[in-house]
Amino acid sequence: MEEKIFDWSLEYMEKAPEEPGVYLFKNNKKQYIYIGKAVNIKNRLKNHYQQAKTDPKERKIFSESSVIEWIITKSDYEAFVLENELIKQYKPKYNVRLKSGSSYPMLVITDEDYPTVKISRKYGEIKGTYFGPFLPAKTARAMKELIHKLFKLRTCDPLPKRSIVCFDYHLGLCSGPCADKITKKEYLEDANVAKSFLSGNVKNVIYQLYDKINHYTQKLMFEKAAVVRDQIKAIETVIKKQEILGIPVEEADVFFFSGRKVYLIVIRGSTIIGKEELRISNEEFEEGNEILILTSYYNNNYIPERIILSKEIEDLENFKQWLLKSKGKDVIIDFKLLPQVENFIKRNITFTDLDSLKYQFEKTFGFKLPNRIECFDISHLQGSFTVGSCVVWENGFMNKKEYRRFRVKTVSQIDDYASLKEVLTRRFKKYLEMENPPELVLIDGGKGQLSVGIEVRDKLKLNLRVFSIAKKEEILYTDDGKEIKLFENQELLKLFTKLRDEAHRFAITYNRKLREKEALKSVLDNIEGIGEKRKEILYRTYKTLDNIIKASDEELKKLGIPTNVAQRIKSYLK
C-alpha cells in the first residue's frame, strides 16, 4: 500500500543522474520538503525509497512531496557547499538545523580612533576584534557593562565632541574622551588591556595594571592609581568565579552529542566560559545529522582555532575544507574530550535514562511519557506579591528558555486557588495557539489544586492531562482518580519532584525580587530629599539597601544625590 503511494517517485529515480549533486523534494506548491546531497544522486534516492518502508520520517518526506529535482555539481565538496546554502535559504521542513536566531552574542572592541565595546550576533558585521561567544546570552550584556566599568570605554556612539561630559562619565562608565578628559594614548592603552582581558589573558592584564599603579604613584597621581586598583580587584573577582582554568587548549568549541541533545561548551583563554544546549529546529537531533548542525552553527558564529567533537562524523574532509574557506586557515578537529571538559560535563549536564522512565511512566499511567510537561506553583508573602511560575521539561531536560512567570492581577488577598486559576487560565489560553502544547501539566499541591486545573482545562476544552503533587508525602494525584505513592517508584519520584522543586524555586525567586524592589522603594519614600527620580536612580544602580549603605558620599554625589541627602540616607538606613 505504502509503496504504491510512493510510486510517483519511481519515474524521477529512473531519470536521476549517477553523478554528485544536490537533490530536492518539493510539494505541489513548490515548497521545499527536504534537501540532501550525494556522490551518486540516483543511488541516494533509491536508498531513501527503501528507508521509507520502515522509517516514519522518510515516509513523511515522500507522502508530502510530489516532485524531485536535482542540481549536478562538479564534485562532492561543491554538493556539500550547495546543500548547506540551500538549506539555509529555504529552511526545508524535514532538514535538521539550528533554529533561526541561533547565533550567539559576541563582544567587539571596535576598530576606531577611540574604540568602544559593542555586542554583535554575526561575526564580521562590525569592524573590530571579536571575543566570545558568550553563553548564556545575558552574560554578553553583563560583560559589556563590566568592560565599561573597568576600562571606561566610551558609551556614546558615534563619539561626539563637546565640552561637558555626560552622566555616564559621572557614573564611572566612561573616561570622557569626547571632552578630552583622557589622552588618546591612555585611552588606547585601556582599550588594549580590555582586549587582553576579554581574550582570557588575565594574568598579563594584572601585571600591566600593577605597572600602571607604580607609574601613577611615582608621579603622585593617586586618583588614577585608585582607579587601576579597583580594576585589579574586579578582575580578581572574575577569576575567582571561573570554574575551569588552565585547560591545555587556548581556544576551542566543544560539541557534545548526547542522545537527541547537542551541547556547546566554549573554551577561550584556556578557560571554559560557557555552555549552551543548541536549539534544533523542526526535528530533534538524529545520529548522522551532526554535520548539518555544525555548518548551521558556523554560518553565523565565530570559527575558533580548534573544534572538539564527542563523536566522529561523516563528511569530515568536506567539513574541513568548508571551514578552511570560511576562516582562511586550517581548523584543528579533535574527537577526544579533554579530562577537564569531561568532568565539567558530568557536573553540569544532567542525563536521564529516558528509556527506563518511559517504561515506568506508561506502565503506571497507561499512556506514553509526553515530550513536554509544564509545572506550576504559586508563591506569595501573606497575600502580597502573589506570583505564579511555569517551568518546562522536554525530553529529559529542563528547558529554561521556555519558563514563564506571572504577576497575579485579580486576587488581592490570600487565596491560592483563585491565584492558581488566574495563572492557569492565562497560560492554558496560550496552548490554543501553540503548535506543540504540553500533553501533561503538573501542579504543586493536593486535590484542591488538581480540581482547579481540571476546571480550567475543561472550560477551555483542552486535550490535556492534569496531575498534582503533594509535598512531604510525595503523593501524585491524577485527573482520573489515581493516587500514586512516588516513594515506591524512584524514576517517577525523581521526575515529578524535580519539576515541583524547580517550579517552587522559580516562583520564590520572582516573589523575592518583587519584594526587594518594593521594599527598597518604600524605605526610600521615608527619606526627605528622595523623589521618584532619585529613587529610581538608586534602585537601578544599587538594587539593595545594603549596597546603598556601602556606597560612598562621593559616589552618591556623582549620581546626583547631594551630600546632605546622602548623609540622611546613611543615617536612616543604619
Side-chain angles (χ1 to χ4, degrees), residues 244-309:
I244 306 295
L245 300 168
I247 293 175
V249 170
E250 174 71 21
E251 176 186 83
D253 287 346
V254 181
F255 291 86
F256 181 72
F257 301 95
S258 172
R260 294 192 167 194
K261 301 288 182 180
V262 184
Y263 295 90
L264 169 66
I265 298 160
V266 178
I267 299 171
R268 298 292 186 269
S270 300
T271 302
I272 291 179
I273 64 170
K275 74 170 177 69
E276 185 87 334
E277 180 188 333
L278 298 183
R279 299 165 62 207
I280 310 299
S281 181
N282 296 330
E283 297 283 329
E284 290 179 312
F285 166 77
E286 296 172 348
E287 190 170 353
N289 287 315
E290 293 88 356
I291 202 72
L292 295 176
I293 298 300
L294 294 170
T295 53
S296 182
Y297 176 79
Y298 286 119
N299 272 321
N300 291 316
N301 288 290
Y302 171 76
I303 302 173
E305 296 174 355
R306 184 184 300 261
I307 296 171
I308 302 173
L309 308 175

Side-chain angles (χ1 to χ4, degrees), residues 388-560:
S389 68
C390 169
V391 300
V392 180
W393 179 94
E394 284 186 326
N395 298 309
F397 299 87
M398 301 306 298
N399 187 348
K400 293 188 177 182
K401 292 186 179 69
E402 294 292 314
Y403 285 15
R404 296 293 182 268
R405 60 191 188 185
F406 305 85
R407 181 81 184 262
V408 174
K409 302 173 182 177
T410 61
V411 182
S412 57
Q413 68 281 351
I414 299 176
D415 191 335
D416 285 355
Y417 293 154
S419 300
L420 179 63
K421 185 175 181 179
E422 179 193 324
V423 169
L424 292 181
T425 300
R426 287 163 61 184
R427 182 59 179 164
F428 283 13
K429 283 181 178 178
K430 292 290 183 183
Y431 294 169
L432 299 170
E433 305 167 7
M434 291 170 61
E435 284 187 16
N436 297 299
E439 301 161 60
L440 171 62
V441 158
L442 179 68
I443 302 170
D444 185 3
K447 291 182 178 180
Q449 282 81 1
L450 177 65
S451 298
V452 174
I454 294 172
E455 178 189 345
V456 177
R457 176 198 67 184
D458 293 347
K459 185 176 180 181
L460 294 173
K461 298 179 180 178
L462 290 169
N463 182 21
L464 176 71
R465 298 300 301 268
V466 181
F467 293 177
S468 68
I469 180 172
K471 290 185 178 73
K472 295 183 181 178
E473 300 92 349
E474 305 296 17
I475 295 176
L476 191 77
Y477 300 101
T478 71
D479 52 8
D480 57 359
K482 291 179 181 177
E483 294 184 13
I484 310 295
K485 295 180 180 179
L486 292 175
F487 282 122
E488 296 175 3
N489 190 314
Q490 289 300 307
E491 292 279 358
L492 298 179
L493 175 69
K494 184 178 177 182
L495 169 66
F496 289 115
T497 55
K498 179 180 181 179
L499 275 160
R500 188 266 316 284
D501 293 345
E502 180 67 352
H504 184 68
R505 179 201 66 79
F506 194 50
I508 288 289
T509 301
Y510 184 38
N511 176 275
R512 186 179 297 122
K513 183 177 180 180
L514 291 178
R515 284 190 281 117
E516 287 174 351
K517 182 175 182 179
E518 195 64 30
L520 173 60
K521 290 189 174 182
S522 62
V523 168
L524 294 175
D525 280 337
N526 298 322
I527 303 173
E528 185 183 349
I530 300 294
E532 288 299 321
K533 188 173 181 180
R534 285 175 179 170
K535 189 164 57 175
E536 190 60 38
I537 288 172
L538 287 167
Y539 174 72
R540 180 166 59 92
T541 307
Y542 296 108
K543 305 297 185 190
T544 68
L545 294 172
D546 189 51
N547 287 339
I548 295 176
I549 292 172
K550 292 176 182 177
S552 66
D553 289 353
E554 187 62 30
E555 191 175 325
L556 290 169
K557 189 176 180 180
K558 289 179 180 179
L559 289 170

Side-chain angles (χ1 to χ4, degrees), residues 67-319:
V67 176
I68 303 174
E69 298 176 356
W70 48 79
I71 303 171
I72 298 172
T73 58
K74 293 180 181 177
S75 65
D76 184 38
Y77 174 70
E78 278 191 19
F80 177 89
V81 173
L82 181 59
E83 177 197 34
N84 180 50
E85 290 299 319
L86 291 175
I87 290 173
K88 183 170 69 171
Q89 181 178 353
Y90 294 110
K91 300 177 176 58
K93 184 175 180 179
Y94 289 108
N95 278 102
V96 173
R97 63 185 187 282
L98 293 184
K99 283 190 176 180
S100 57
S102 290
S103 53
Y104 294 95
M106 295 166 279
L107 290 188
V108 188
I109 303 293
T110 59
D111 186 7
E112 299 174 90
D113 287 343
Y114 289 89
T116 187
V117 58
K118 295 183 178 181
I119 294 176
S120 172
R121 282 185 175 268
K122 187 174 182 180
Y123 182 74
E125 70 175 351
I126 298 172
K127 194 174 180 183
T129 307
Y130 282 72
F131 303 92
F134 290 88
L135 311 172
K138 66 181 179 181
T139 57
R141 294 188 294 273
M143 188 59 72
K144 182 178 187 296
E145 290 176 7
L146 183 62
I147 293 300
H148 287 302
K149 190 172 181 179
L150 288 180
F151 307 109
K152 307 194 186 317
L153 301 190
R154 60 183 171 85
T155 54
C156 50
D157 187 39
L159 178 67
K161 196 67 180 175
R162 52 192 172 198
S163 57
I164 301 174
V165 291
C166 69
F167 195 54
D168 281 349
Y169 174 82
H170 294 294
L171 287 174
L173 300 175
C174 176
S175 54
C178 60
D180 296 325
K181 294 290 184 180
I182 185 172
T183 67
K184 185 175 182 180
K185 180 184 176 184
E186 287 177 320
Y187 188 93
L188 291 177
E189 284 177 357
D190 287 339
N192 286 330
V193 174
K195 286 181 182 179
S196 297
F197 174 68
L198 285 171
S199 67
N201 297 321
V202 179
K203 185 177 178 181
N204 294 336
V205 170
I206 290 179
Y207 288 154
Q208 292 175 41
L209 292 179
Y210 273 117
D211 288 341
K212 286 181 79 172
I213 283 183
N214 292 333
H215 172 73
Y216 288 140
T217 303
Q218 288 171 9
K219 294 199 170 185
L220 306 181
M221 300 167 72
F222 299 115
E223 188 174 335
K224 288 191 173 183
V227 170
V228 177
R229 180 202 62 212
D230 291 342
Q231 291 177 349
I232 292 173
K233 284 183 180 178
I235 290 171
E236 288 174 341
T237 300
V238 171
I239 293 172
K240 288 175 185 177
K241 289 181 179 178
Q242 291 178 330
E243 183 181 356
I244 306 295
L245 300 168
I247 293 175
V249 170
E250 174 71 21
E251 176 186 83
D253 287 346
V254 181
F255 291 86
F256 181 72
F257 301 95
S258 172
R260 294 192 167 194
K261 301 288 182 180
V262 184
Y263 295 90
L264 169 66
I265 298 160
V266 178
I267 299 171
R268 298 292 186 269
S270 300
T271 302
I272 291 179
I273 64 170
K275 74 170 177 69
E276 185 87 334
E277 180 188 333
L278 298 183
R279 299 165 62 207
I280 310 299
S281 181
N282 296 330
E283 297 283 329
E284 290 179 312
F285 166 77
E286 296 172 348
E287 190 170 353
N289 287 315
E290 293 88 356
I291 202 72
L292 295 176
I293 298 300
L294 294 170
T295 53
S296 182
Y297 176 79
Y298 286 119
N299 272 321
N300 291 316
N301 288 290
Y302 171 76
I303 302 173
E305 296 174 355
R306 184 184 300 261
I307 296 171
I308 302 173
L309 308 175
S310 65
K311 62 188 296 186
E312 296 196 12
I313 60 172
E314 300 174 3
D315 268 340
L316 178 60
E317 291 307 315
N318 282 334
F319 181 52

